[in-house]
């Protein structure tokens, strides 16, 4: 709820037990180290942006989930994760960003709600489940006159403020399905030159973006050309890595190298 002294956190369920650490993704040690290095730069106040790209099933989600899990184990920072959805109609603007902020509020409710109320009322008013009915009218008055430019500015300021104590990772998955407003926000966050403890991580399939004429393709190319975003393009696994995958998926079984080579050729 939002009161005179700022937001009060809604009643939250007890935090779940910390997940058990799983094995690192096979064949992606260099990519994990690169993400960790970018996070270290972001922790120093040097904002970073990176796109993890590759075809469907290549391991983008596995990689970023392992990276996020490592941050959670070490309590090295906050992770706000949003998921883009394939749609058949007019998409809701900023859908994955609202998803990320809502998850973050459930993770660290009181602090994030207070910042959203103070800095980004046009965003908080569109998440009515996070505020009480008595306070919604006041919030709606504060959000009057919300424009596209205002929402971009408020989102950037809110995300930067959330990361002021601990670096924030904004993880947006499947940007080849993102609405145009989300792509604009991604470009805005990547190009701002103010100091911020923010690491933007986006995943997408370049081939799908190109085939659909999706704006993330042009935006990604422009950001890379201007040196505003890094790219981790995931390639296929080599036969030894495929062998390790098979051994993990078939525990206790004898997995001959010839089988791994055959799977590698066929996949």
């Amino acid at each position: 709820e939002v009161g005179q002294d700022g937001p009060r956190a809604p009643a939250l369920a007890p935090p779940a037990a910390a997940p058990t650490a799983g094995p690192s993704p096979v064949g992606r040690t260099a990519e994990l180290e690169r993400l960790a290095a970018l996070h270290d730069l972001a922790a120093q106040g040097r904002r970073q942006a990176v796109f993890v790209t590759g075809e469907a099933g290549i391991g983008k989600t596995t990689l970023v989930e392992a990276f996020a899990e490592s941050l959670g184990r070490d309590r090295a920072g906050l992770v706000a994760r949003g998921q883009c959805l394939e749609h058949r109609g007019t998409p809701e603007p900023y859908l994955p960003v609202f998803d990320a902020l809502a998850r973050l509020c459930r993770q660290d409710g009181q602090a994030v709600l207070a910042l959203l109320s103070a800095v980004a009322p046009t965003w908080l008013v569109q998440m009515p489940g996070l505020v009480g009915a008595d306070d919604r009218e006041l919030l709606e008055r504060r959000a009057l006159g919300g424009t596209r430019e205002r929402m971009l500015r408020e989102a950037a300021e809110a995300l930067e403020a959330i990361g002021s104590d601990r670096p924030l990772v904004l993880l947006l998955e499947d940007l080849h399905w993102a609405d145009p407003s989300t792509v604009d926000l991604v470009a805005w966050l990547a190009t701002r030159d103010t100091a911020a403890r923010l690491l933007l991580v986006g995943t997408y399939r370049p081939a799908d973006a190109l085939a659909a004429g999706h704006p993330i393709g042009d935006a990604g190319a422009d950001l890379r050309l201007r040196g505003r975003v890094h790219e981790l393009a995931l390639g296929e696994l080599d036969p030894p890595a495929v062998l390790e995958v098979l051994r993990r998926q078939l525990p206790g079984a004898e997995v001959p190298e010839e089988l791994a080579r055959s799977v590698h050729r066929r996949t």
Side-chain angles (χ1 to χ4, degrees), residues 60-69 78-84 95-107 159 168-174 201 203:
K60 300 181 295 298
T61 295
T62 300
L63 174 66
V64 297
E65 283 183 346
F67 171 61
E69 183 182 300
L78 297 171
V79 178
R81 179 176 177 178
Q83 175 67 54
C84 301
L95 176 62
V97 187
F98 280 118
D99 182 28
L101 290 174
R103 296 191 199 195
L104 196 58
C105 284
R106 292 192 290 270
Q107 174 185 341
L159 292 168
L168 172 66
V169 176
L170 176 61
L171 171 56
L172 302 178
E173 286 230 61
D174 293 325
V201 181
T203 71

Side-chain angles (χ1 to χ4, degrees), residues 22 33-34 45 103 111 115 122 124 193 202 205 213 219 235 254:
E33 291 176 349
R34 181 60 172 155
R103 296 191 199 195
L115 286 169
T122 63
L124 187 56
D193 57 5
R205 308 173 195 164
E254 290 290 336

Side-chain angles (χ1 to χ4, degrees), residues 170-196:
L170 176 61
L171 171 56
L172 302 178
E173 286 230 61
D174 293 325
L175 286 173
H176 52 276
W177 291 331
D179 60 274
S181 296
T182 294
V183 176
D184 287 343
L185 178 57
V186 166
W188 176 236
L189 291 173
T191 55
R192 279 169 65 88
D193 57 5
T194 54

Side-chain angles (χ1 to χ4, degrees), residues 55 236-243 246 256-267:
E55 64 186 54
E236 65 180 26
L237 298 178
D238 59 19
V242 172
L243 178 62
L246 292 173
E257 293 185 4
E258 179 54 39
L259 174 61
R261 288 193 292 269
S262 177
V263 171
H264 178 265
R265 287 193 299 269
R266 292 174 177 270
T267 60

Side-chain angles (χ1 to χ4, degrees), residues 14-28:
T20 302
S24 298
V26 175
R28 304 300 186 201

